């Protein structure tokens, strides 16, 4: 009877952390206990505490407002800060505190997933106070109750552009869904796009976490900090400011490569490189140009300049934008979807003439004539 009472007490105690992942991590692992792997550890690092606390706050806020919204969190960091560790904690917290939780964990490569990310999950499972509630394999952690193992589980799934079903079908109406991307910079956009489907379940706790070194200045992980930053709780973690990292090695890298080198930006400071391998203009300059703090400047003598970005395929839109001097905001851009290069050159002339008709400068007239000439000379006339 005493054993049964203790079991129920543990179940109730663990369940009390359903909206408190930080509290669960502090409670569930043997911090500072002699003879354990954590004998010399006092608990999560500061940045890990902050992330876990914010996740709990967002969950509690959703219930208080009666409106559960997907929680999207992205962290870009230098090396050695414990990204895979916090991913493991959140996976195990999610499974432990709400029955029939479903989680999917993936990483940039199959090797990263098999040798680093998933072993971190199984390591912390062995240390967890309620470890006997679950069974673990090389690719999954699931309920020890055989009748529930298909519904209450976390799976390590390598991504593939040719096989996206595992990410498209991640639904769990009325319960909890956790999706974790480790080393997210190298996970292709298609997987991110398909994974958006997991955000549509109503009255469901949906948590999507993306961690990684910011190795690429393009792609969806970068856009968590740019184009989609209004949706993502995002932050950068400098390895030099994190407890337990090798400060001597980090400072050596800074001396070797320079404080503002892309190597130090990515591997130490946790910020994106100045420019990607396919970029002519760096994202840093683009963001500076778009900053609302930069007032547009132009005079009546500045020529009117037109730029055309032709979308070649997919869902992208072709954009025609005008600039006079340093004012590229006053004239609204023209955005066209589904237009080929030739149809854009032929069919948009009417649109542009209407805009250019409002311009009194000779530059505007020459611009329209030049556009017409370009259409003919390119074989589209």
């Amino acid at each position: 009877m005493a054993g049964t009472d203790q079991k129920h007490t543990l179940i109730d105690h663990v369940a009390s952390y359903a909206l408190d992942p930080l509290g669960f991590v502090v409670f569930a692992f043997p911090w500072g206990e002699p003879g354990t792997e954590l004998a010399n550890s006092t608990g999560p690092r500061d940045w890990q505490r902050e992330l876990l606390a914010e996740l709990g706050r967002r969950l509690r806020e959703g219930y208080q407002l009666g409106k559960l919204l997907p929680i999207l969190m992205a962290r870009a960091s230098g090396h050695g800060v414990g990204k895979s560790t916090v991913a493991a904690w959140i996976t195990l917290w999610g499974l432990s505190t709400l029955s029939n939780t479903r989680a999917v964990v993936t990483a940039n490569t199959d090797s990263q997933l098999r040798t680093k990310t998933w072993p971190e999950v199984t390591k912390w499972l062995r240390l967890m106070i309620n470890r006997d509630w679950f069974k673990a394999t090389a690719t999954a952690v699931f309920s020890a109750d055989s009748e529930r193992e298909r519904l209450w589980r976390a799976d390590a799934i390598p991504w593939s552009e040719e096989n996206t079903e595992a990410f498209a079908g991640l639904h769990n109406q009325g319960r909890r869904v956790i999706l974790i991307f480790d080393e997210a910079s190298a996970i292709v956009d298609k997987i991110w796009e398909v994974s958006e489907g997991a955000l549509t379940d109503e009255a469901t706790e949906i948590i999507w976490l993306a961690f990684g070194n910011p190795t690429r200045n393009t792609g969806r992980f970068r856009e968590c900090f740019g184009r989609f930053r209004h949706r993502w709780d995002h932050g950068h973690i400098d390895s030099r400011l994190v407890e337990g990292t090798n400060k001597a090695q980090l400072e050596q890298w800074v001396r070797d490569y320079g404080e503002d080198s892309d190597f130090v930006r990515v591997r130490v400071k946790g910020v994106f490189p100045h420019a990607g391998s396919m970029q002519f203009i760096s994202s840093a300059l683009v963001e500076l140009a778009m900053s609302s703090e930069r007032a547009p400047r132009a005079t009546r003598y500045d020529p009117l300049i037109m730029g055309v970005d032709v979308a070649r395929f997919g869902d992208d839109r072709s954009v025609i934008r005008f600039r006079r001097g340093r004012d590229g905001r006053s004239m609204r851009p023209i955005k066209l979807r589904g237009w080929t290069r030739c149809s854009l050159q032929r069919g948009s002339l009417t649109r542009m003439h209407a805009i250019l008709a409002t311009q009194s400068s000779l530059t505007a007239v020459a611009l329209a004539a030049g556009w017409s000439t370009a259409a003919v000379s390119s074989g589209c006339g």
Side-chain angles (χ1 to χ4, degrees):
M1 182 65 71
T4 301
D5 290 343
Q6 289 178 349
K7 180 179 180 180
H8 286 301
T9 299
L10 179 60
I11 292 173
D12 291 341
H13 202 143
V14 169
S16 71
Y17 294 111
L19 304 181
D20 182 11
L22 175 58
F24 172 82
V25 170
V26 171
F27 164 74
F29 303 108
W31 303 105
E33 291 187 15
T36 71
E37 295 180 45
L38 303 180
N40 298 318
S41 301
T42 59
R45 295 170 173 178
D46 288 346
W47 82 267
Q48 295 169 331
R49 286 180 175 271
E50 292 171 4
L51 184 143
L52 293 167
E54 177 61 15
L55 174 55
R57 187 196 70 78
R58 295 276 299 276
L59 282 168
R60 294 190 294 273
E61 181 182 62
Y63 280 103
Q64 290 167 1
L65 297 176
K67 186 177 182 181
L68 287 176
L69 296 176
I71 299 173
L72 314 180
M73 307 182 81
R75 294 295 183 272
S77 76
H79 285 303
V81 304
K83 301 181 296 293
S84 297
T85 297
V86 79
W89 290 341
I90 291 172
T91 301
L92 296 173
W93 157 81
L95 292 173
S96 297
T97 59
L98 186 63
S99 62
N100 293 350
T101 286
R102 291 188 61 196
V104 167
V105 180
T106 194
N108 56 329
T109 65
D110 180 59
S111 176
Q112 170 77 21
L113 185 61
R114 288 186 296 102
T115 65
K116 296 180 180 179
T117 308
W118 197 249
E120 197 72 10
V121 174
T122 55
K123 164 194 167 181
W124 287 97
L125 175 63
R126 291 194 305 271
L127 295 171
M128 194 168 67
I129 192 171
N130 57 311
R131 55 187 171 273
D132 60 323
W133 295 5
F134 302 98
K135 294 181 179 180
T137 69
T139 59
V141 171
F142 49 86
S143 172
D145 180 350
S146 60
E147 294 183 359
R148 307 177 76 178
E149 64 180 32
R150 294 176 61 84
L151 300 175
W152 190 357
R153 62 187 295 122
D155 293 281
I157 301 178
W159 61 266
S160 167
E161 290 187 80
E162 289 72 38
N163 183 19
T164 61
E165 286 81 0
F167 300 91
L170 186 58
H171 296 280
N172 200 16
Q173 180 74 41
R175 304 304 290 173
R176 176 183 286 161
V177 171
I178 298 175
L179 180 59
I180 296 178
F181 284 6
D182 192 20
E183 295 303 340
S185 257
I187 297 177
V188 298
D189 289 0
K190 184 175 181 180
I191 301 301
W192 290 77
E193 292 163 4
V194 170
S195 298
E196 293 273 358
L199 308 181
T200 58
D201 285 351
E202 188 178 12
T204 303
E205 294 179 20
I206 301 171
I207 301 164
W208 189 357
L209 306 170
F211 301 114
N213 299 124
T215 55
R216 301 183 181 186
N217 211 5
T218 57
R220 286 293 297 267
F221 186 56
R222 176 65 180 87
E223 290 178 344
C224 295
F225 301 78
R227 177 185 176 189
F228 297 124
R229 61 183 177 272
H230 60 287
R231 295 175 52 197
W232 287 80
D233 178 304
H234 58 281
H236 300 272
I237 304 163
D238 190 321
S239 297
R240 296 170 295 183
L241 305 179
V242 176
E243 316 93 287
T245 56
N246 188 336
K247 305 299 191 297
Q249 180 61 65
L250 296 172
E251 290 304 328
Q252 184 63 54
W253 283 345
V254 173
R255 289 193 295 271
D256 290 345
Y257 296 97
E259 177 76 26
D260 201 40
S261 67
D262 280 346
F263 183 93
V264 171
R265 288 172 66 87
V266 172
R267 310 295 175 183
V268 179
K269 298 166 71 173
V271 295
F272 291 89
H274 288 295
S277 59
M278 299 298 290
Q279 283 184 288
F280 179 69
I281 301 174
S282 73
S283 295
L285 289 177
V286 173
E287 290 180 356
L288 181 62
M290 294 172 61
S291 171
S292 59
E293 298 177 0
R294 294 178 65 88
R297 301 199 307 271
T299 71
R300 59 181 296 183
Y301 302 106
D302 289 323
L304 182 67
I305 306 297
M306 178 181 69
V308 181
D309 181 9
V310 181
R312 299 185 182 279
F313 50 81
D315 294 329
D316 290 342
R317 291 179 293 179
S318 295
V319 179
I320 304 167
R321 182 175 280 279
F322 300 89
R323 173 178 65 83
R324 187 187 296 281
R326 294 192 175 183
D327 179 9
R329 300 177 184 172
S330 296
M331 298 184 64
R332 294 177 63 85
I334 303 170
K335 299 181 180 181
L336 304 167
R337 190 188 302 276
W339 290 53
T340 65
R341 177 175 60 86
C342 287
S343 63
L344 176 66
Q345 288 180 325
R346 288 195 301 262
S348 61
L349 284 173
T350 302
R351 293 171 180 255
M352 282 192 299
H353 276 297
I355 290 181
L356 296 176
T358 65
Q359 307 296 317
S360 59
S361 70
L362 292 175
T363 307
V365 177
L367 185 63
W371 179 255
S372 300
T373 303
V376 174
S377 63
S378 64
C380 296

